[in-house]
Amino acid sequence: MRLSRTERTVQVVIYVLLTLLAFLTLYPFWNSLVISFNLGSDTSLGGITFWPRAFTWENYEVVLRDHRIAQAFVVSVARTVAGTALSILATAVFSYGMSKTELAGRKYYMIFCIVTLYFNGGLIPYFLLIHGLGMMNTFWVLIVPGAISIWNMIIFRTFFKEMPAGLEESAKIDGCGHFGTFFRIVLPLSGPVIASLSLFVAVNLWNDWFTATLFINNPKLVPIQSLLQEIMNANTVTEQLRSQGGSNFLDKIFQARTVTTKSLTMATMMVTTLPIIAVYPFVQRHFVKGVLVGSLKG
Amino acid sequence: MKARWLKQWDLQLMVVPALLFVLLFSYVPMWGIVLSFQQYNLFKGVFHSPWVGLDNFKLFFNAPEFWQLMRNTVAISLLKFVTAFPAPIVLALLLNEIRSMAFKRFVQTVTYLPHFMSWVIVATFVTSLLSVDNGSLNILLQKLHAIGDPVNWLSIPEYFWAIIVSVGVWKEIGFAAIVYLAAIAGVDPALYESASMDGASRLRQMFAITIPCISPVIVIFLILAIGSILNAGFEDLLLLGKNPVLGSVANVIDTYVYRMGLKEAQRYSYATAAGLFQAVVNVILLVVANRTARRFGHSLW
């Protein structure tokens, strides 16, 4: 197809705009990476944008040796793995039951669930509930409250409904109950939807920092995002680490004066983001599929 | 009914525990809004705390910060609405004009990325880029001789709304465009063919075909957006509006509930009342928006 002159100009403008958008999206990542590899004392002189001026591993050495950061990373990994497994399994079983037309009370159950998508009690009643359940300062608060997701239930349910009925019938003839059919037949055939939803759940768990801010004081149970949030606030970092005592974070800062709060924050942030950036290119297509399933079918 | 229930006990066993879970984690807090009508005391509990009627609401409406909170909440969410709502539609329309599949996919892949970053990470980016200490924005503006000394952007109330709104668009534009791109992909190609035969330009086709064809999707998202018009944001305001200087522009109802109820004070009942006020306004707006949309032939439910 031949383009007129104005149309060609429009094309050029669109390419320029989108390139600019892509640049603006990537620049903060790149700039942070560069700062994390630049000598802290040198960064504070200014002028670090696209390339490190005084390359160093020092910031990462400090960060990777810090016990609190290592601990927080472990907490985040454990929380993400356990929380995803729990949420996907519990929600899948629930959804399978909800997908059966013979389920007595199905309509009422569904309304019961949908209501929660539009109304909630708000922050304070939720806080008091967790408090009342004795879940404050436990690992459980990081994984249990998300175990049943109504959105994911709706997506799972749609998927299960579309499964060929013949498979399940043959399982039933072979003497499988609902649980047997689900675990032996349905679950193994649900790979794609499990993959998509697991990724969403995992990313949300990895990224969640507010739960721990609300419910966790014990430094041993703080996930990496919440720790980063603490570190980010340059003023509080010194106070907090000092008051907790025993952290080698501060000692390192004073030993090596070339490390600054900013360079450490950037290095910690890169460590925090790395898992997501590393899996991102592979899972991106799953994410997109998940969104479309959720928004168009749900 | 009972017999049927017993007969399918294993099927019921799959759903009932989950429903009890929803009852505990969603309905118990909903019932917990009764404490906005009490003078709640942690040691007495909901059952023994004294009832105070609407006192907490009166207190909130008469609080010196009430009008400031309302102004900030409405202003920030309106600003977010007029930018974050059309931005992904524009992006999807622009992407649709791109013929090079590789470039299109590249832009899409890149712009989805920020959606998967937590607000802590995004706030760290923003704080770093806007800081006096090697902040890229200051470096750029100094090179252009637009400013003399570096500016501490996150400590100047006048700039705060612009920053919050831009960051919001930056984070979600790509991801929000997915749905619109899918809608555009579903438009019947025959419409474009006949339009170009009639000599309609690409731009004309965009306005005469693409936009009308995806309008149902736009309307659904419009209704949802109106229903949450009092949700000015929470994590972004909390993390970027940390500087006390920004209080007069960064405090919204959501952050106020958090500060009054948990962070700075334990005024549980008062904070719940403030949150309930916001929730009720949201539900009313959602219903009104949906009614209006229904009159034009679209509806959420």
Side-chain angles (χ1 to χ4, degrees):
Chain A
M1 197 167 36
R2 286 185 58 210
L3 295 172
S4 71
R5 199 142 170 218
T6 22
E7 282 184 326
R8 218 175 304 153
T9 323
V10 169
Q11 278 283 311
V12 171
V13 171
I14 292 174
Y15 271 90
V16 170
L17 281 177
L18 292 179
T19 310
L20 191 69
L21 179 68
F23 170 76
L24 284 176
T25 311
L26 287 178
Y27 181 76
F29 291 89
W30 181 251
N31 183 244
S32 306
L33 187 68
V34 167
I35 294 176
S36 74
F37 277 114
N38 199 53
L39 211 58
S41 52
D42 180 70
T43 303
S44 40
L45 299 176
I48 305 297
T49 49
F50 292 100
W51 212 248
R53 191 164 48 206
F55 183 87
T56 179
W57 288 98
E58 189 180 58
N59 304 318
Y60 285 95
E61 277 167 27
V62 176
V63 165
L64 294 178
R65 265 194 224 138
D66 184 82
H67 293 307
R68 268 197 88 192
I69 292 175
Q71 173 76 14
F73 199 85
V74 171
V75 170
S76 275
V77 170
R79 181 244 180 132
T80 304
V81 172
T84 307
L86 175 69
S87 177
I88 291 298
L89 189 68
T91 305
V93 173
F94 177 40
S95 319
Y96 181 72
M98 292 294 282
S99 74
K100 295 284 131 206
T101 35
E102 69 261 33
L103 178 76
R106 182 163 165 266
K107 218 168 111 192
Y108 301 103
Y109 294 164
M110 205 58 202
I111 295 170
F112 183 80
C113 291
I114 300 287
V115 166
T116 65
L117 298 179
Y118 291 96
F119 305 97
N120 66 69
L123 184 64
I124 309 294
Y126 182 68
F127 176 85
L128 294 173
L129 171 73
I130 299 291
H131 186 92
L133 291 172
M135 285 169 83
M136 298 281 286
N137 270 317
T138 61
F139 184 64
W140 301 113
V141 76
L142 296 177
I143 56 173
V144 172
I148 298 292
S149 153
I150 302 299
W151 287 116
N152 292 351
M153 183 272 277
I154 294 170
I155 296 171
F156 263 132
R157 199 180 71 126
T158 314
F159 182 86
F160 293 147
K161 270 186 184 167
E162 282 168 5
M163 274 200 162
L167 286 169
E168 293 166 50
E169 268 159 35
S170 59
K172 216 162 268 172
I173 291 164
D174 291 345
C176 274
H178 285 291
F179 278 94
T181 315
F182 175 71
F183 284 106
R184 277 185 222 154
I185 312 287
V186 176
L187 210 53
L189 288 173
S190 311
V193 70
I194 289 179
S196 293
L197 294 180
S198 298
L199 290 166
F200 272 105
V201 174
V203 168
N204 282 336
L205 284 168
W206 181 266
N207 279 343
D208 168 53
W209 59 280
F210 194 60
T211 306
T213 306
L214 279 181
F215 301 118
I216 292 197
N217 307 316
N218 182 352
K220 287 195 171 150
L221 284 174
V222 171
I224 188 95
Q225 299 271 0
S226 313
L227 183 65
L228 176 63
Q229 193 261 323
E230 282 175 36
I231 295 175
M232 194 182 106
N233 201 334
N235 300 322
T236 51
V237 69
T238 16
E239 287 164 17
Q240 264 162 357
L241 290 174
R242 192 171 280 151
S243 68
Q244 267 144 14
S247 169
N248 59 4
F249 210 86
L250 250 194
D251 304 344
K252 278 284 190 296
I253 293 175
F254 289 120
Q255 257 173 38
R257 300 245 166 172
T258 50
V259 175
T260 61
T261 324
K262 176 153 187 164
S263 60
L264 283 188
T265 308
M266 289 303 160
T268 312
M269 188 181 70
M270 282 299 143
V271 173
T272 311
T273 327
L274 195 70
I276 291 187
I277 299 215
V279 294
Y280 180 70
F282 304 101
V283 300
Q284 201 234 118
R285 292 183 54 206
H286 277 295
F287 277 131
V288 176
K289 233 182 280 163
V291 178
L292 293 179
V293 169
S295 57
L296 297 181
K297 286 186 184 162
Chain B
M1 179 75 193
K2 207 174 177 186
R4 192 173 154 213
W5 215 89
L6 284 174
K7 219 169 144 191
Q8 52 173 234
W9 66 271
D10 59 340
L11 194 55
Q12 291 289 343
L13 196 61
M14 287 181 140
V15 298
V16 170
L19 293 169
L20 291 175
F21 183 95
V22 174
L23 182 73
L24 179 63
F25 283 97
S26 295
Y27 281 86
V28 170
M30 271 188 233
W31 172 75
I33 60 175
V34 298
L35 62 93
S36 62
F37 303 101
Q38 295 182 328
Q39 199 50 56
Y40 181 77
N41 181 317
L42 197 56
F43 300 102
K44 287 182 184 161
V46 180
F47 296 105
H48 302 285
S49 294
W51 294 92
V52 295
L54 295 173
D55 282 5
N56 289 310
F57 294 91
K58 281 182 199 150
L59 211 58
F60 175 57
F61 297 143
N62 292 320
E65 58 270 39
F66 176 75
W67 288 109
Q68 194 187 61
L69 286 171
M70 283 304 286
R71 183 202 66 176
N72 291 345
T73 308
V74 172
I76 293 175
S77 46
L78 278 181
L79 285 172
K80 280 189 174 174
F81 175 67
V82 297
T83 53
F85 183 73
I89 302 175
V90 173
L91 176 61
L93 291 173
L94 291 185
L95 280 169
N96 191 43
E97 296 302 313
I98 295 293
R99 278 106 191 273
S100 151
M101 281 314 281
F103 182 74
K104 188 176 173 183
R105 183 165 295 167
F106 167 74
V107 174
Q108 282 183 276
T109 308
V110 166
T111 51
Y112 297 158
L113 187 58
H115 173 80
F116 299 105
M117 298 291 134
S118 75
W119 268 112
V120 177
I121 302 279
V122 175
T124 314
F125 282 153
V126 175
T127 315
S128 164
L129 292 175
L130 300 184
S131 74
V132 175
D133 171 18
N134 193 56
S136 294
L137 184 65
N138 281 318
I139 296 173
L140 175 72
L141 292 177
Q142 277 180 318
K143 278 219 172 112
L144 295 173
H145 299 289
I147 53 168
D149 290 322
V151 177
N152 189 359
W153 299 98
L154 276 172
S155 69
I156 302 167
E158 283 80 4
Y159 299 137
F160 185 70
W161 289 353
I163 294 171
I164 277 290
V165 166
S166 323
V167 176
V169 170
W170 179 85
K171 191 173 188 294
E172 297 301 333
I173 185 170
F175 199 72
I178 293 177
V179 179
Y180 297 113
L181 278 170
I184 291 174
V187 176
D188 186 359
L191 291 173
Y192 292 111
E193 275 164 35
S194 53
S196 62
M197 278 215 270
D198 291 345
S201 66
R202 297 282 297 182
L203 200 68
R204 186 72 200 279
Q205 290 178 27
M206 183 195 281
F207 284 102
I209 300 172
T210 316
I211 295 178
C213 283
I214 63 170
S215 66
V217 181
I218 297 179
V219 169
I220 288 176
F221 280 85
L222 190 67
I223 299 169
L224 288 173
I226 291 171
S228 56
I229 205 88
L230 276 198
N231 296 349
F234 180 67
E235 292 181 38
D236 49 346
L237 294 168
L238 212 55
L239 292 166
L240 289 172
K242 241 179 220 162
N243 193 329
V245 181
L246 297 175
S248 63
V249 289
N251 285 338
V252 297
I253 300 177
D254 271 328
T255 54
Y256 185 71
V257 169
Y258 173 54
R259 284 193 301 121
M260 287 299 124
L262 301 173
K263 200 175 171 221
E264 286 160 22
Q266 271 74 44
R267 298 169 66 187
Y268 295 131
S269 290
Y270 178 68
T272 309
L276 182 59
F277 163 72
Q278 175 177 354
V280 168
V281 174
N282 272 341
V283 169
I284 293 171
L285 285 173
L286 185 67
V287 171
V288 170
N290 196 49
R291 281 250 170 94
T292 319
R294 188 177 285 170
R295 201 163 291 170
F296 296 103
H298 303 282
S299 171
L300 210 55
W301 57 76

